[in-house]
């Protein structure tokens, strides 16, 4: 019986170690998603900088040419550049949202696997103990039928 108890204990230890490993992988998946999210934020800042630079360039060139930079075709050109920049910005922001959601989903999946590993360890431990009791009873040990 002590051997079966040791086997059950080792099954539980193994399952807990596996579960901790899976939980660590889940935390790492979240970290990776956050890093990816930061890259998207950097891209969004670059897009905003580009919008400002394009608008400033259009304004300056129009003013240098003696054209009112805040009306007519100069304004239409700035509006067009702004709309294209905003579309790009929204695309980048959506990428950030998708990266974070993917990381959360992956972390949840690892969490579910960790729970399953713990449950499998418990089931294995119970099975080992039950087998030990059954074997002991079959050879006439404590709790077994004696003649």
């Amino acid at each position: 019986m002590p051997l079966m108890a040791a086997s059950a204990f080792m099954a539980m230890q193994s399952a807990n170690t596996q579960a901790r490993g899976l939980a660590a992988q889940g935390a790492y998946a979240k970290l990776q998603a956050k890093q990816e999210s930061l890259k998207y934020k950097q891209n969004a800042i670059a897009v905003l900088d580009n919008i400002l630079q394009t608008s400033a360039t259009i304004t300056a060139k129009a003013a240098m040419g003696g054209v009112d930079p805040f009306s007519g075709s100069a304004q239409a050109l700035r509006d067009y550049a702004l709309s294209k920049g905003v579309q790009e910005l929204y695309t980048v922001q959506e990428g950030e949202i998708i990266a974070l959601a993917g990381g959360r989903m992956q972390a949840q999946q690892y969490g579910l696997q960790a729970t399953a590993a713990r449950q499998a360890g418990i089931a294995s431990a119970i099975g080992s103990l039950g087998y030990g009791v059954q074997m002991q009873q079959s050879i006439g040990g404590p709790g077994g039928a004696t003649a």
Side-chain angles (χ1 to χ4, degrees):
M1 186 65 177
L3 192 56
M4 292 302 153
S7 176
F9 177 75
M10 292 306 291
M12 292 290 295
Q13 288 295 98
S14 175
N16 283 333
T17 300
Q18 183 180 6
R20 281 193 302 273
L22 289 165
Q25 285 180 302
Y28 185 68
K30 277 185 177 179
L31 178 63
Q32 284 181 313
K34 187 63 177 170
Q35 287 174 333
E36 193 67 25
S37 160
L38 291 174
K39 289 178 189 176
Y40 280 107
K41 284 184 187 234
Q42 287 175 333
N43 288 344
I45 291 170
V47 167
L48 291 171
D49 286 344
N50 190 35
I51 290 170
L52 289 174
Q53 184 178 5
T54 301
S55 181
T57 300
I58 292 169
T59 301
K61 286 187 177 186
M64 284 185 350
V67 177
D68 180 9
F70 302 108
S71 66
S73 33
Q75 180 65 39
L77 190 54
R78 281 188 14 206
D79 290 346
Y80 176 76
L82 178 64
S83 71
K84 287 296 179 184
V86 168
Q87 285 176 354
E88 186 178 351
L89 178 64
Y90 287 155
T91 301
V92 169
Q93 288 173 334
E94 286 172 359
E96 177 188 2
I97 291 167
I98 290 169
L100 287 172
R104 277 192 306 270
M105 287 172 47
Q106 194 172 12
Q108 287 174 344
Q109 185 65 34
Y110 281 122
L112 292 173
Q113 289 176 1
T115 299
R118 280 189 188 96
Q119 290 172 346
I122 291 169
S124 177
I126 291 170
S128 291
L129 290 174
Y131 180 72
V133 168
Q134 181 185 14
M135 288 299 293
Q136 197 170 31
Q137 288 177 350
S138 72
I139 59 173
T146 55

